């Protein structure tokens, strides 16, 4: 049918803007989510992670899609959200010890909802008249708390991956001799980073056009920290290849094993070679708020830039990342573009037009949650959360160490613990746990060997629950073995 033949009926969208319907659906959602939270907290759900494989889940949702269209009354059908909840990974279950995503402070969901409703786009001041100055104020305050100095400031963006790319773009513009942003980049730049660093650093380098050779992986010690004495060698080799090293990137901490590079040693090296010192603190720069656990970050205050995810250890819903700069001016180097339809003063720095410093044009109102927590609690809430998470990891690690048949990779300095069975195949154990639950743990590989990995993201994971990870794995291993024996 030609869509211009007959005008569509505004009643289709009109009722979905109705305030009464909004109120009613809000009440229903509140009830549903409260019930979900209670179930999650009390471990009444069968598994933390529903275990079906991706293709059967796709099939299931395809079937659901063909059922959904009859109900014309609601914006979405009534049973959609319950099904989404039921089939998702349940981070609020204290048996969750998987990947590094915050178990959000539940009340922050209302801030996300309010921001979604207001939907101020943040690109320019007029589209974020409250949230833009909130961002500027809170980021300056936290940057200074980190010890980056009086001129420090920062921006919020969607994720550590984007923050690391943005920091390296700023580093390139500030460190290179020509105007790379305007003239295009040369392939001969490089960055020094741990061989255990998160892949997004290498991705950023490739996005900037420096190719595979642009990431120089510096060897690490047994605990996965950059060997400081290897930096000189890596630097000299890069120069011999004709590469100009612009930056050294420290990991705080590494994703796989939770290792912290010696940031002071990296800062000394950066200073001696006149390099930009960036810290990828996506996971654990958050420990700056904890008097007990900030010692792993010695030297952070000497960084030119620091990325820190609020959505990992700090209980803020994803994505919400801070990128902090020692010299606030440097933030404007990453991007510099005229956009006469947006900015009053094309090429000038205007803190109030946030998209001059972010990759995103429109972005969510990320500052509201961060500002709200910081003004109300200062560092205290985050400090106690970090202490709880790292404390849980340390308790679990101590249990692994003293339990026969288990090996610990190293004493945790953050909330990440790698460990393995010395009896059963570790990939098999992880697969059995995924299939049969109830816990959710992940795995990693070092030198071709599989290690199990827990990130203690949920503050309600008690010692009893974390010990039951080990007893469950032992039971699964023993059961599998006896099945194998009886099949022979
Ligand atoms: C050290 C490190 N850097 C960067 C990232 C990527 O962060 P995001 O998932 O926020 O993009 C991660 C994610 O786990 C990380 O651990």
């Amino acid at each position: 049918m030609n869509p211009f033949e007959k005008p569509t009926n505004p009643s289709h969208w009109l009722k979905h803007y109705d305030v009464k319907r909004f109120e009613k659906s809000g009440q229903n959602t509140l009830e549903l989510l409260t019930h979900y939270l209670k179930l999650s907290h009390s471990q009444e759900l069968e598994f933390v992670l529903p275990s079906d494989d991706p293709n059967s889940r796709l099939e299931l949702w395809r079937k659901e899609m063909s059922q959904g269209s009859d109900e014309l009354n609601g914006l979405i059908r009534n049973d959609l959200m319950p099904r989404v909840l039921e089939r998702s990974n349940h981070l609020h279950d204290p048996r969750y010890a998987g990947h590094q995503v915050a178990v959000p402070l539940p009340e922050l969901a209302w801030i996300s909802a309010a921001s979604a409703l207001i939907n101020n786009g943040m690109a320019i001041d007029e589209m974020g008249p409250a949230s833009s100055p909130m961002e500027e104020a809170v980021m300056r305050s936290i940057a200074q708390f980190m010890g980056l100095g009086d001129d420090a400031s920062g921006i919020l963006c969607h994720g550590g991956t984007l923050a690391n790319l943005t920091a390296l773009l700023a580093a390139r513009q500030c460190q290179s001799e020509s105007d790379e942003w305007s003239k295009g980049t040369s392939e001969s730049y490089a960055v020094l980073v741990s061989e255990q660093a998160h892949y997004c650093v290498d991705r950023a380098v490739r996005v900037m056009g420096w190719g595979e050779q642009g990431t120089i992986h510096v060897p690490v010690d047994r605990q996965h920290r950059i060997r400081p004495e290897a930096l000189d060698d890596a630097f000299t080799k890069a120069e011999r290849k004709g590469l100009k090293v612009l930056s050294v990137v420290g990991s705080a901490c590494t994703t796989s094993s939770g290792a912290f590079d010696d940031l002071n040693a990296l800062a000394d090296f950066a200073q001696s070679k006149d390099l930009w010192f960036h810290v990828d603190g996506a996971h654990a720069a958050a420990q700056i708020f904890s008097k007990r656990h900030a010692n792993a970050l010695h030297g952070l205050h000497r960084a030119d830039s620091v990325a820190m995810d609020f959505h990992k250890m700090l209980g803020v819903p994803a994505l919400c990342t801070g990128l902090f700069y020692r010299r606030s001016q440097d933030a404007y180097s990453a991007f510099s573009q005229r956009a006469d339809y947006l900015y009053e003063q094309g090429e000038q720095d205007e803190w109030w037009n946030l998209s001059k410093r972010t990759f995103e044009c429109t972005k969510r109102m990320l500052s509201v949650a961060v500002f709200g927590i910081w003004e109300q609690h200062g560092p205290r809430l985050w400090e106690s959360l970090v202490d709880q998470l790292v404390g849980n990891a340390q308790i679990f690690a101590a249990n692994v160490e003293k339990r026969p048949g288990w090996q610990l990779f190293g004493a945790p300095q953050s909330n990440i613990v790698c460990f393995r069975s010395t009896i059963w195949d570790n990939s098999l154990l992880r697969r059995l746990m995924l299939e049969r639950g109830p816990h959710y743990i992940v795995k990693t590989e070092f030198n071709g060997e599989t290690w199990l990995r827990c990130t203690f993201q949920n503050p309600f994971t008690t010692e009893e629950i974390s010990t039951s990870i080990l007893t469950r794995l032992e039971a699964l291993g023993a059961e599998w073995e006896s099945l194998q024996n009886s099949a022979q």
Side-chain angles (χ1 to χ4, degrees):
M1 185 181 85
N2 179 348
F4 298 104
E5 265 173 22
K6 200 170 160 212
T8 53
N9 186 349
S11 71
H12 278 142
W13 57 263
L14 197 56
K15 62 184 174 198
H16 298 305
Y17 280 93
D18 182 78
V19 177
K20 280 257 169 284
R21 286 176 79 112
F22 171 74
E23 191 181 12
K24 181 82 189 109
S25 62
Q27 282 157 351
N28 291 345
T29 308
L30 173 62
E31 248 171 57
L32 178 71
L33 294 181
T34 305
H35 179 65
Y36 171 75
L37 258 189
K38 283 184 186 156
L39 283 183
S40 307
H41 273 297
S42 57
Q43 303 169 54
E44 283 172 62
L45 301 162
E46 196 180 353
F47 302 112
V48 174
L49 176 71
S51 64
D52 296 341
D53 70 275
N55 283 326
S56 31
R57 273 179 282 123
L58 179 61
E59 205 36 51
L60 208 115
W61 283 106
R62 278 196 175 128
K63 274 194 197 132
E64 295 267 350
M65 198 156 56
S66 58
Q67 285 167 13
S69 54
D70 287 351
E71 224 178 291
L72 285 177
N73 196 31
L75 179 62
I76 56 174
R77 68 187 148 96
N78 287 339
D79 62 348
L80 185 67
M81 278 321 290
R83 279 172 205 251
V84 171
L85 293 181
E86 186 192 327
R87 293 174 189 168
S88 290
N89 194 335
H90 308 300
L91 278 63
H92 280 279
D93 187 315
R95 296 168 298 182
Y96 176 92
H99 286 294
Q100 296 148 266
V101 181
V103 174
L105 295 155
E107 288 168 62
L108 295 182
W110 309 138
I111 293 188
S112 298
S115 304
L117 185 76
I118 304 167
N119 218 18
N120 277 212
M122 301 286 295
I124 54 163
D125 185 44
E126 291 155 32
M127 288 306 293
S131 43
S132 297
M134 287 170 88
E135 178 166 327
E136 182 65 10
V138 74
M139 294 305 279
R140 271 193 186 271
S141 178
I142 296 176
Q144 281 155 23
F145 180 87
M146 282 178 160
L148 292 174
D150 291 345
D151 183 32
S153 70
I155 49 107
L156 286 164
C157 66
H158 286 97
T161 301
L162 201 50
N164 285 326
L165 170 63
T166 306
L168 291 177
L169 282 165
R172 182 183 72 171
Q173 194 66 359
C174 293
Q175 294 291 117
S176 61
E177 274 142 31
S178 69
D179 177 3
E180 298 291 311
W181 179 255
S182 309
K183 296 187 181 143
T185 198
S186 133
E187 282 172 19
S188 55
Y189 290 117
V191 165
L192 296 174
V193 67
S194 160
E195 57 186 13
Q196 284 293 327
H198 191 270
Y199 73 85
C200 69
V201 175
D202 180 50
R203 181 176 286 192
V205 163
R206 292 172 197 245
V207 167
M208 288 191 294
W210 305 346
E212 191 178 1
Q213 64 171 4
T215 304
I216 298 170
H217 284 125
V218 185
V220 295
D221 63 17
R222 284 184 57 197
Q223 268 107 46
H224 285 178
R225 298 170 302 204
I226 280 186
R227 289 200 286 108
E229 69 282 7
L231 283 165
D232 242 328
D233 188 40
F235 184 85
T236 313
K237 279 191 188 146
E239 280 202 320
R240 270 199 221 118
K241 279 205 245 166
L243 298 172
K244 179 161 171 40
V245 179
L246 293 183
S247 172
V248 59
V249 176
S251 300
C253 54
T254 60
T255 311
S256 253
S257 59
F260 287 79
D261 287 334
D262 177 344
L263 300 182
N264 263 322
L266 265 56
D268 288 344
F269 181 78
Q271 207 173 337
S272 72
K273 303 286 187 203
D274 191 24
L275 305 177
W276 180 284
F277 177 33
H278 173 64
V279 176
D280 176 4
H283 184 76
Q287 290 180 207
I288 198 69
F289 300 115
S290 158
K291 289 186 268 310
R292 223 180 282 172
H293 301 296
N295 53 355
L297 296 167
H298 267 310
L300 182 82
H301 65 287
R302 297 173 64 191
D304 294 297
S305 54
V306 179
M308 180 180 81
D309 282 352
F310 290 93
H311 64 264
K312 286 192 168 41
M313 293 181 89
L314 301 178
V316 174
L319 286 164
C320 183
T321 301
L323 172 57
F324 302 90
Y325 294 91
R326 153 182 309 290
R327 295 164 297 275
S328 53
Q329 201 65 21
D330 287 349
Y332 295 91
S333 316
F335 316 101
S336 137
Q337 273 162 317
R338 291 190 66 87
D340 296 335
Y341 46 86
L342 280 180
Y343 309 132
E344 294 281 331
Q345 302 161 45
E347 274 153 26
Q348 287 184 26
D349 306 339
E350 302 159 322
W351 70 257
W352 52 92
N353 287 330
L354 292 177
S355 59
K356 288 196 161 182
R357 290 177 283 163
T358 57
F359 200 92
E360 299 105 317
C361 177
T362 303
K363 74 176 184 195
R364 286 192 307 120
M365 298 167 65
L366 302 173
S367 58
V368 185
V370 176
F371 184 100
I373 291 177
W374 188 247
E375 69 150 357
Q376 182 80 355
H377 303 273
R380 273 196 306 275
L381 174 72
W382 284 331
E383 173 171 36
S384 61
L385 195 52
V386 165
D387 286 353
Q388 183 71 40
L389 301 181
V390 181
N392 287 353
Q394 289 173 337
I395 289 170
F396 177 71
N399 275 338
V400 170
E401 232 176 352
K402 62 179 190 240
R403 203 173 175 98
W406 294 99
Q407 185 188 359
L408 187 66
F409 179 77
Q413 282 189 289
S414 185
N415 58 341
I416 301 171
V417 185
C418 294
F419 62 107
R420 66 178 174 183
S421 165
T422 54
I423 302 171
W424 291 288
D425 178 284
N426 287 279
S427 299
L428 171 80
L429 286 185
R430 143 93 174 160
R431 184 167 59 75
L432 292 172
M433 185 68 112
L434 272 193
E435 285 170 6
R436 316 225 340 241
H439 299 267
Y440 176 56
I441 63 169
V442 293
K443 68 177 172 70
T444 187
E445 253 187 40
F446 305 134
N447 300 322
E449 288 177 350
T450 301
W451 289 75
L452 301 171
R453 181 167 160 270
C454 287
T455 310
F456 288 90
Q457 288 292 142
N458 192 314
F460 294 100
T461 307
T462 57
E463 181 168 3
E464 195 190 346
I465 294 173
S466 74
T467 305
S468 71
I469 294 175
L470 296 175
T471 46
R472 178 66 176 150
L473 288 168
E474 285 165 358
L476 289 168
E479 214 178 294
W480 181 83
E481 194 175 272
S482 80
L483 275 176
Q484 296 300 304
N485 290 339
S486 59
Q488 276 165 13

